[in-house]
Structures are given as C-alpha cells and as structure tokens.
Amino acid sequence: MTLAPEAPAHDGRLIGEAPPSPAGPIDAAEAASLPTPPMIDLPRVLQTLRFNQRQIDFVFGARRRHGEVFRMRGIVPGDPVITSHPDHVQSLFKAKPDDAPSLTGESPLRPIVGPNSVLTSVGPRHMRQRKLLLPPFHGEAIDEYVSMIVEVTEREIAKWPVGEPIALAPRMQAITLDVIMSGIFGIEGTPERGSTEHALRRAVVGLIEASTWKTAQLAELMNIGRDEPVGITKFGLGFLDRPTFKIIAERRRATDLEDRRDILSLLLQARTEEGEALTDQELRDELLTLVLAGHETTANSLAWTWERLVRTPAAHDRLRDAVRGGDQELSDKVVEQTIQEGMRARPVIPIIGRRVKKHWRLGEYAVPPETPVTMSILLVHHREDVYPDPFAFRPERWENAKPGTYTWIPFGGGIRRCLGAALAMAEQRVVLEAMARRLDLAYDTPEPERAIHRNVTMIPSRGATVRVLSRRA
Ligand code: HEM
C-alpha cells in the first residue's frame, strides 16, 4: 500500500479530536487487571524486514487488524509496543525523564556520535548537553541565519535546468548542507580544494551517500548496542573525524571567537552551571550529531512537501497565488500551513520511542517496566478522528487551527523534542517560498512516490522528481 495521493472532497471539519484514552504510570496491581497489547503474529525476521522496508504497509495493516495499540517482534530488545493515541503520546512526552528515557540511546547512531551526545545520552547527562546546546537553536538566534539561508537557496535554484526531470531531494540536501556547514562550523560558500573545510564537507557528503548502501546499512546493524564503531563504520568515520578535530583545534586558537556566530564558536565558549567547558571529543560528538540529525531530515521534509504539492493542484495553486500576490502576511500564512501539512502527511522520521521504567497504562492495555513503547508519528498523523480525510493533502486544514502538541509530532516532544526544530522550520519557509515564487514545477510521473526507509528516516523513492517548467526573474 502507498499513501493515497488524493481523496474524495470532504466538507466537514478538517481538524478534530481523539476520544480520551487513559495513559501513564500505574501500580503493579492495576497493571495485573489489564491485558497486554496484542502481538503481531509473524516470525521475528519477517516482522523486522517488513518494518524496515515497508513500514507504512506494516503499521497501517497492523492498526487495521489490532487497533491503535499493538506489539511487534523486532530488533529493539524487549519487543516494542506501537501506539498512535494522542493521550498515550502525551503520557510519554510529559513523563519524568527517569520513567521513560528515549530509545535513541539504543539507536545505530550511538557508536557513530558516541554514547554521550545530546541525541544518545539519557538522564542528567542528556539535560547537561541539551542546556549547553539550546542557546544557538533559539528562535531569535535562528533569525540571524535567515539571510544566509536565502542566499544559499537563491544560488542553488538558479542552477536548476528547465524542462528536464530533476530529483529534488539531493538539491534540497545541497542547500541544507551549506546551511548546516555555515551555521555549525562557520564555513561559507564552497571551501577551497585541499583545505580542511573542503575535506570535512566531502566527508559529510560521502558519509550520507554511503549510508544508502546496503553494505553500510548492514554495517550499521553490526554497530547496534556498541559504544564504539567497528568495521567499515570505524574506517569511514576516520575521514570525518580528522578534519573535524583539526577545525576544532584551529577554532580554539581563533582570536575573534566572541564575535563569531557559528555554533562551534558558541559551543567553545559555553559553560555548564559548574563552569565546565566541552572537551574536543564532546564537541566532535555534538557537531556530528547536529550535522547528521539536521541536514538530511530537513532536505527530505522539503522534498516530500513538493512531492505532494505537484500532485495536488489546489494546494500548489493556493501556495503560488499567495506567494506571488504581494500580500506578505497571506504569503507567510500559506507557506506555514503548507509546511505543517507536508510534515503531517509525510513525517520524515515516522516513529520515535521511549523505554518505560514502570508499569504503563496505554488505554485498555498495560505494559510492564522495561517495555520499549514507540509512537508511530505516521499513524498519529493519519487518524480519521483528528485529521478527517487524512490521506488528502490539505494545507487549508490549518486555517483556524494550531498544530496540537500531541497530534502534530514530526519533531517529537517533551524534553527530547527536536533541538533543531526552529532552524528546520526557518529553512523550510525560505526554501518553499523561494521555490514557489521563482519556479513553476510539475510532476515527472503522476504516480505518487513510495516511501523508502533509510536508517531512521522515510524518504521519497525517486527523490521527489519534478520538472521545472519555467523560472521567473
Ligand atoms: C524537518 C527536519 C527535522 C525533523 C523532522 C526532525 C525530527 C526530529 C525528531 C522526531 C526527533 C526525536 C524527538 C523525540 O524523540 O521526541 C529529533 C531530535 C533531535 N533533532 Fe531533529 N529534526 C529535524 C531537523 C533537525 C535539525 C535542523 C537539527 C539540528 C541542526 C536537529 C537536531 C536534533 C537533535 C540534536 C535531536 C535530539 C534532541 C534530544 O534528544 O534532546 N534536527 N528530531
């Protein structure tokens, strides 16, 4: 099954509410009175394969058969439960950190970015890293990047050929990589060949490319549960680590640190409440986390939104009219609604999770301590009761509605909410607006693109291929 591109017209409300469903920590006696969620009855290998390769078919099929809470056998130890009820999501986002730590600590990224980065650590260590990293990702700090994002975007769009099919995902990635290199390392434009900056940029592109190879994905599986990388992952990371440590060392010696706005320079000056600074290894782990978490996600989110737009003429025309009409307020509003709808319909990270440390109620079911409880963002975003006509791409559904904290969750939530959300939104606004203003785009083939799964992300199977019909001055 693919997600249906178009759905019949719908006259009713476009945003609704789910009926309440009790959720949260409970005592052992109450847990004993409730059944455990139904288990998907397929061999583990088959479930793992289907989940990794066809997550959409897998979770929508399981929800049809078992309801909104079910359990699967997978590679995450403890057989994960999958839920899609907003009240269950709320119980996990609002849980005390020790009651429901994030599952990212167990992800294949752990040996790559280390066990102590903001993404992979839990408990007090996570809070420490998060506090250190928050200031440069604040809305106001992000405003300072907007003109740089505009420049990078205009430069990239100007290169696109007219009339030929082009895959948007790699082109979006070129933009988001420039933004991240500039924002994080203070590297601007295309660095000179032979420079450390050039080596770093090439290593990042190489790593992302290599992560699509089947061998690399297998290698990544070999790394699950480890703190240090092994095999070809270790070898490949060397290319990234050498220039990264070199840039850190050079920046430490910089005399203009206080005047610099890039995240590396800000982190070099950051101190914990105890007055501790980040070590080189910590800096490397956090910088790599930001590069890996931040650039492919944003690029594919944009690519998906365009994949939807070119196949939904009403939404596409509405966006173009608003952006080209000369009313800035209307333009900003429609751009925002289109991004919100794009991220609802195609969340790049389709699932996130926590490991509960207490008995936990999930509606009519209970699960014991140590159960991995995952939230299917994809299923939450396609609930009929919350989003009537959920498979239709309708940016106007956001006309009088704000995204709900527990019903619109492409950035996750609670104390693990995406640190780069403000940056990702700023990038998407600039790029979507510039493309809608400057380009007339059309699909290459009318069939919707399938979702393929790469590591933790869900990306369009043909990279959101479009044709530029014309470019405006
Ligand atoms: C459209 C783009 C993006 C999407 C959809 C996205 C999505 C997510 C999601 C779902 C999580 C996990 C949240 C949870 O478990 O509750 C996350 C965490 C994170 N993201 Fe993003 N992200 C995006 C862009 C970025 C950017 C641009 C950066 C930084 C440059 C970034 C940095 C991070 C970090 C550091 C975390 C870990 C936060 C923590 O555990 O405290 N992300 N992101």
Side-chain angles (χ1 to χ4, degrees):
M1 186 182 84
T2 46
L3 292 171
E6 295 281 354
H10 193 280
D11 304 325
R13 286 179 313 160
L14 289 172
I15 303 270
E17 257 176 49
S21 176
I26 49 173
D27 59 32
E30 191 183 348
S33 69
L34 294 167
T36 54
M39 177 69 96
I40 298 174
D41 194 16
L42 283 174
R44 185 178 301 275
V45 180
L46 212 58
Q47 293 201 38
T48 307
L49 276 177
R50 284 207 186 154
F51 182 81
N52 286 336
Q53 313 231 322
R54 302 254 166 192
Q55 194 181 128
I56 296 178
D57 298 8
F58 185 83
V59 293
F60 278 90
R63 183 166 77 177
R64 258 196 320 277
R65 276 187 295 279
H66 301 290
E68 61 195 6
V69 185
F70 48 87
R71 194 162 193 176
M72 69 173 284
R73 297 189 183 95
I75 45 171
V76 176
D79 296 339
V81 167
I82 299 179
T83 178
S84 53
H85 195 290
D87 291 353
H88 306 180
V89 171
Q90 177 173 17
S91 78
L92 295 161
F93 284 177
K94 287 175 92 173
K96 292 193 195 118
D98 290 347
D99 287 353
S102 171
L103 279 175
T104 46
E106 301 173 32
S107 89
L109 280 181
R110 183 184 169 99
I112 296 172
V113 298
N116 292 318
S117 90
V118 66
L119 185 76
T120 48
S121 56
V122 292
R125 171 78 199 184
H126 168 252
M127 289 315 284
R128 171 188 185 265
Q129 297 308 98
R130 200 171 158 99
K131 269 194 194 149
L132 281 171
L133 285 169
L134 263 174
F137 286 102
H138 232 255
E140 275 168 36
I142 297 305
D143 288 347
E144 294 194 18
Y145 295 131
V146 169
S147 55
M148 174 265 289
I149 303 173
V150 171
E151 214 176 283
V152 168
T153 307
E154 294 288 344
R155 205 169 49 218
E156 177 61 32
I157 289 180
K159 292 188 218 158
W160 298 355
V162 175
E164 290 167 29
I166 54 166
L168 286 179
R171 289 167 196 267
M172 299 287 110
Q173 225 162 293
I175 297 176
T176 56
L177 185 59
D178 272 354
V179 170
I180 216 113
M181 285 304 192
S182 168
I184 295 187
F185 294 97
I187 300 175
E188 276 172 40
T190 312
E192 244 175 73
R193 271 180 169 277
S195 64
T196 317
E197 284 80 4
H198 187 254
L200 178 65
R201 205 176 189 291
R202 277 193 43 175
V204 171
V205 175
L207 184 80
I208 302 286
E209 249 170 45
S211 73
T212 63
W213 304 342
K214 284 271 173 270
T215 38
Q217 289 175 358
L218 281 176
E220 221 172 74
L221 289 180
M222 276 166 50
N223 280 292
I224 287 184
R226 295 175 192 270
D227 282 355
E228 297 278 332
V230 291
I232 57 166
T233 311
K234 185 173 176 177
F235 177 73
L237 277 179
F239 290 100
L240 200 65
D241 284 348
R242 284 186 287 276
T244 306
F245 282 119
K246 212 166 157 201
I247 289 179
I248 295 173
E250 283 166 9
R251 193 63 49 80
R252 275 200 193 282
R253 292 195 295 272
T255 48
D256 62 344
L257 215 53
E258 277 159 33
D259 303 325
R260 298 186 66 111
R261 306 305 314 149
D262 59 88
I263 290 169
L264 168 56
S265 300
L266 296 176
L267 289 181
L268 278 169
Q269 299 167 75
R271 297 290 177 271
T272 61
E273 278 160 13
E274 292 75 40
E276 287 170 66
L278 290 167
T279 63
D280 281 5
Q281 184 65 43
E282 284 179 316
L283 283 166
R284 174 267 181 210
D285 291 352
E286 297 304 359
L287 296 173
L288 194 50
T289 301
L290 297 176
V291 171
L292 294 182
H295 105 276
E296 217 203 345
T297 41
T298 315
N300 278 298
S301 192
L302 274 162
W304 270 126
T305 299
W306 280 107
E307 189 275 345
R308 293 292 75 206
L309 274 172
V310 293
R311 290 174 178 79
T312 321
H316 196 181
D317 290 347
R318 182 170 175 264
L319 175 68
R320 269 190 302 208
D321 291 349
V323 163
R324 297 174 186 181
D327 177 342
Q328 191 61 44
E329 209 173 299
L330 177 70
S331 168
D332 291 349
K333 186 182 80 174
V334 174
V335 165
E336 197 74 11
Q337 291 175 352
T338 309
I339 296 168
Q340 281 164 203
E341 184 67 350
M343 298 186 82
R344 177 195 73 81
R346 296 293 186 275
V348 206
I349 297 187
I351 198 157
I352 51 175
R354 311 285 187 257
R355 188 176 285 283
V356 296
K357 296 288 175 180
K358 296 190 163 160
H359 291 280
W360 213 270
R361 181 159 185 182
L362 297 166
E364 58 192 295
Y365 304 109
V367 294
E370 295 303 329
T371 304
V373 181
T374 62
M375 299 157 262
S376 170
I377 300 178
L378 201 59
L379 288 180
V380 172
H381 286 185
H382 287 86
R383 286 184 69 102
E384 278 281 350
D385 45 14
V386 180
Y387 299 107
D389 202 358
F391 294 102
F393 187 76
R394 293 248 163 93
E396 73 276 16
R397 73 166 83 238
W398 299 103
E399 188 64 34
N400 294 308
K402 277 205 174 124
T405 315
Y406 309 112
T407 48
W408 185 82
I409 53 169
F411 293 116
I415 56 150
R416 305 301 301 220
R417 186 171 191 270
C418 174
L419 209 70
L423 175 61
M425 288 305 286
E427 285 185 77
Q428 292 186 89
R429 280 182 207 117
V430 170
V431 178
L432 194 77
E433 196 269 346
M435 286 174 68
R437 185 165 36 78
R438 305 256 280 125
L439 306 172
D440 285 311
L441 298 177
Y443 56 68
D444 186 41
T445 50
E447 296 78 35
E449 295 196 21
R450 264 190 330 104
I452 52 172
H453 296 271
R454 180 199 290 177
N455 310 321
V456 292
T457 55
M458 178 177 101
I459 63 179
S461 54
R462 281 179 288 115
T465 298
V466 297
R467 273 173 202 273
V468 179
L469 301 180
S470 60
R471 195 189 347 251
R472 290 155 45 100

